[in-house]
Amino acid sequence: MVFLNQFFFGYFPYIAMTIFLLGSAMRYDRDQYTWKADSSQLLRKKGMLVGSNLFHIGIILLFFGHFVGLLTPEWVYHPFMSAGTKQIMAMTAGGIFGTMCLIGMLILLNRRLFDKRISRTSKFSDTFVLLYLFVQLLLGLITIPYSAQHLDGSSMIALANWAQHIVTFRTGAADFIIAEAWVFKLHLVLGMSLFVIFPFTRLVHIWSVPVQYLTRSNYQIVRRRG
């Protein structure tokens, strides 16, 4: 048990990030034509706008919420709020953004699985990624009632200490969460495993977010004729 804890929360994060970075670089170098989102909107627009927007907005907010929540040192927020208050804020925001993402996910899954035109043209990896994210999202929502059992912020501090030790390459990271509930650990393992499968799926299109469109000045607006 101690060995598994050390492997998954001490070594596996670095294995996952290595595969993530090297795999993405090799995918871009060798298979640039597969570097795309493969949107199903051209096949059928019904439900795509609502589902895609809810899913993407929700998951982006969840990502940055996790990023800030886990990597913000305790001394930064301690003068303004307690760990318990921060945990309640995280639970509330996670519940709202997670529900938003879940609704969007269910709409997209319904299209992908039960729309014959879309399902017949979908790759196995496309469906697998959606189902994988669906399970991970459910696990994230399940952590909320577990967190509510101890509102002193102790679990949040333990998870944050783990993440901060990992990103700063300090030893002893796995020791912080050895006593945490199974749902937190499984959520972390699936989250890290997502980086492992990332280079081999459509998720690589995340690297190509068109940020330049926000600042681009030379563009032409084309309107359809009425």
Side-chain angles (χ1 to χ4, degrees):
M1 192 68 180
V2 175
F3 170 77
L4 290 177
N5 186 78
Q6 181 62 39
F7 173 77
F8 281 112
F9 305 109
Y11 305 130
F12 187 58
Y14 301 113
I15 296 173
M17 288 307 298
T18 300
I19 296 175
F20 169 67
L21 294 173
L22 292 181
S24 296
M26 293 177 64
R27 170 85 176 269
Y28 184 77
D29 181 60
R30 297 184 178 185
D31 297 300
Q32 291 188 26
Y33 288 109
T34 67
W35 196 278
K36 54 185 178 179
D38 286 331
S39 174
S40 61
Q41 185 173 2
L42 293 177
L43 298 177
R44 196 177 307 280
K45 293 184 178 181
K46 184 179 179 181
M48 185 65 180
L49 181 63
V50 175
S52 181
N53 283 338
L54 285 175
F55 169 72
H56 283 94
I57 293 173
I59 205 166
I60 289 172
L61 292 174
L62 285 173
F63 172 79
F64 283 107
H66 281 67
F67 185 84
V68 174
L70 289 174
L71 298 183
T72 302
E74 190 176 357
W75 59 265
V76 173
Y77 63 83
H78 187 70
F80 310 101
M81 68 179 76
S82 65
T85 300
K86 183 172 180 287
Q87 179 171 309
I88 293 174
M89 291 176 60
M91 291 166 55
T92 303
I96 294 172
F97 302 150
T99 301
M100 180 189 305
C101 188
L102 180 63
I103 295 172
M105 172 71 73
L106 289 173
I107 295 174
L108 295 180
L109 272 175
N110 181 66
R111 284 167 46 84
R112 184 71 61 179
L113 296 176
F114 302 111
D115 188 306
K116 292 183 179 179
R117 188 178 183 187
I118 295 175
S119 63
R120 287 174 181 173
T121 57
S122 295
K123 300 176 183 177
F124 169 78
S125 60
D126 297 338
T127 305
F128 174 77
V129 166
L130 279 177
L131 291 173
Y132 189 101
L133 290 174
F134 178 69
V135 173
Q136 176 69 334
L137 181 59
L138 287 180
L139 279 173
L141 290 172
I142 293 173
T143 64
I144 295 177
Y146 276 85
S147 297
Q149 295 176 15
H150 36 76
L151 296 177
D152 58 349
S154 56
S155 285
M156 183 195 65
I157 293 176
L159 294 169
N161 282 330
W162 168 79
Q164 291 165 31
H165 274 64
I166 289 296
V167 300
T168 54
F169 300 96
R170 286 180 284 172
T171 60
D175 296 335
F176 286 103
I177 57 174
I178 191 170
E180 292 304 312
W182 66 270
V183 66
F184 294 112
K185 293 183 178 182
L186 185 56
H187 189 54
L188 288 175
V189 171
L190 287 185
M192 291 183 289
S193 298
L194 190 62
F195 287 97
V196 174
I197 68 173
F198 182 97
F200 312 104
T201 65
R202 61 190 293 181
L203 292 172
V204 292
H205 79 278
I206 297 174
W207 282 114
S208 304
V209 174
V211 179
Q212 67 271 20
Y213 284 104
L214 298 176
T215 57
R216 190 176 65 170
S217 58
N218 296 322
Y219 60 89
Q220 180 179 2
I221 299 176
V222 179
R223 296 184 175 89
R224 290 186 297 179
R225 293 181 179 180

